[in-house]
Amino acid sequence: MLLQQLSGAAVLTAIAPQGLLALSGSSQKALSKTAATGWRGGMPVFRSSTQTEGGRRFHLTGNRALQLQVGMDGRHGVYEESHGQRWLTYAADTGTGEAELQFADGSVLRSGGAAGDLVLTPTGVTQAMTSRGITLQREIICPEGDVPWLLIRVNLQLADDAAAQSIGYRELWQLRPRPLGTFEPEAKRDARAAAITYITQVNGTVVSAFEDRGDADKAFGPEAPVMLEALHPRAIAGFTAAAQPELQISEKIRLRPGVPVTRWYRCGYLSEPLASPAKFYHNNIAALTARLPGVGCPALPWVQWEMPWHAGALSGGANRDAVLGGHTLNQGSTYAFMAGGNAAARDTLQHALPLIYSEPDLALSVFKNICAWGSPDGDLPYALQANKQPMLGLFRPSDQNLWALWFAAEYALVTGDLNAFSLPQQYHPTHNAKPVSLKEHLRRQYQFFVNHVGRGARGHVRILNADWNDFAIEASGADHKAMIESGSSVLNSAMAAWVLPVFAALLDKLQEPVLAAEVRSQAESLRLLVAEAWNGRWFDRAYAPDGAAVGRDDCWLEVQPWAILCGAATTGQAGALLDYIDTHHRANSPFGARLIWPLRDNPRRGMGIHGGVWYSVNMTLIWAAAKYRPALARDGLQRMSLYHHRELQPDVWEGTVSGPDAWNAPESKRPGRTWDAPWMTMQDFPVGNMHSHSAPLLSYLRLLGVAPQSDGSMQGQPAIAGHFRSQNFQYKSKR
């Protein structure tokens, strides 16, 4: 059995450098909001008491078809986006998915809000509680693969010294549909959700609810048939008489002292019958255990728990895409679950990169899905709206294609799968274009980058209205319209100077020597331009149309690692630059390097783009530092880890098992939390962002020395001794 009987709420377990440390009594009070980590049945497990203070705390887990929002109060929600971004049952302030025990005297105990322990695994949650001598252990898992339902295992056991008794058990799932129109006011979402009603029916031990939207918006796909099913006879299925009913399964169970009773249920989209839930469950656990990578590093012992957790969280963020094909890997958090957007294409590709090393089939599926966002001229939109239509009017970044070329090259290097590039791949249906090979997609994306993004001031890559930094132009102080027209980004020049030679090595393998030579020529010209951007202390960030430098008075971090990685920085410059970053950007900043230094006087000082600590930028810093300052690189990974967050901020939920995309610097009004802005607030949904999982995992691989090289190899400069082993990739480094 994966999860052993829990010992009750009095003990928490936390990672310590010397191993596992049990804490109880007064220590528990200090860690009342903190999850713990350890191994159970060969899997990484986080554990958290449900006795938390303040508001609801939650975590997102999932499989390749849906996500379960796990509430630390025992109430949950279900989200999926096969046809559009939507909650099947919205967690809101209360959540659903509860169990209820009914005692002979008429009293009841509900799992929601009840005392007990929750144990989080990479794909599920187990809650345990004891009352009147009866122990209830209820596990909810998102099964492996494209399975659009949850499997629920319930164990009931009466204490050995108790008298036999009968109890009632009920499984309760309230339907709260909520399609997420992108950036819609909550009132409009409320109205759309309220318009959805259900036609409900009972067939044996299954209660099914079929959506009826009437004349409501059909932009979120076909009307969803949702089920709650007891996977054993004698249970009674039912529902409440409401437009949006609560689905219920009820049963009388006779308990004898010391004799466990197990029941199985499932909830989600109506599906084919499941003959043997117990066999399915054990096969599922075996598949999950085999799927997660094995990791070890003597210098950083916590990685053996945390890196498999990150790998599981990344694949748990995927959703099968019934519109564009393959799987989408939304970065989640506020962007998805609050704003209703799938942004940006670059982020999805970042999150899929580490999956190349553990689940290459899913990584490729995500990559093909991103290509299906695009148009036949090679353009990739910034994002998708909740209804899967391209988002064209918000940002027009100039780096999207680079991430796609990078992903393709790294995928081919790790897997050796060149056949994938000859298979047909569609464009977004709005273009009504014929599919072409994936290789042709990449050719057109490269040509779009060269011919349409093009070059701007001083010959660098045009910035358009954004590069990686969505608000780079606003922060630069330069004229907005002029910058879009002919301003340039040293960041994108430096990134391209690294990406293009790696992509050229793939083109060689795809028998495209002429194009490969052109790509290398572009890369070399950009590398030389980046080298000229050295201003004596760091590399300039951008150039205004008149050639004036942006980033002479302050050091913008995002460009610096790429200048090192692409070879534009000399050895002396790289060392001096990393020393400057260590002394300034990283000084007294416990979770990583600030985005800019010195910080400017600003109401949002130390937050977001105004000096916050970004996972994706700290990842490239760790990678660049591995060769020249390995101690800094190792410390950088330590600072971004969940382990480190739990040690430093035990009373802050975000950072415990997941996190946002950026942390506030010590100088901010809310240090150690995450950003807020007038247009959007990450603090509304500060967990479930895939950067908090992809950046540590990719950083670890880079520290091992696993990185694409311009000569087509994968051997980089290791900064640590350690290993990474999965079903498709094994690597061990020595230092």
Side-chain angles (χ1 to χ4, degrees), residues 69-85:
Q69 181 177 329
V70 178
M72 296 298 103
D73 57 1
R75 301 181 179 101
H76 315 298
V78 182
Y79 168 94
E80 68 91 38
E81 54 180 290
S82 57
H83 290 86
Q85 291 179 227

Side-chain angles (χ1 to χ4, degrees), residues 273-310:
L274 181 63
S276 176
K279 182 178 180 181
F280 178 89
Y281 172 84
H282 289 291
N283 289 343
N284 184 82
I285 295 304
L288 172 60
T289 304
R291 172 170 64 86
L292 297 177
V295 178
C297 173
L300 303 170
W302 50 267
V303 301
Q304 66 177 306
W305 296 285
E306 187 163 320
M307 295 304 158
W309 176 263
H310 290 313

Side-chain angles (χ1 to χ4, degrees), residues 332-401:
S333 62
T334 289
Y335 302 111
F337 305 122
M338 301 294 290
N342 190 351
R346 77 167 76 89
D347 296 295
T348 292
L349 292 167
Q350 287 179 76
H351 306 145
L353 274 166
L355 287 175
I356 294 172
Y357 297 87
S358 57
E359 298 178 61
D361 65 317
L362 178 58
L364 179 62
S365 184
V366 171
F367 177 57
K368 290 169 70 67
N369 179 264
I370 285 290
C371 289
W373 292 22
S375 54
D377 63 355
D379 192 12
L380 288 177
Y382 171 74
L384 294 183
Q385 300 179 66
N387 61 3
K388 297 189 180 290
Q389 295 305 299
M391 186 184 294
L392 302 175
L394 185 61
F395 294 112
R396 190 70 176 83
S398 53
D399 66 332
Q400 304 264 80
N401 302 114

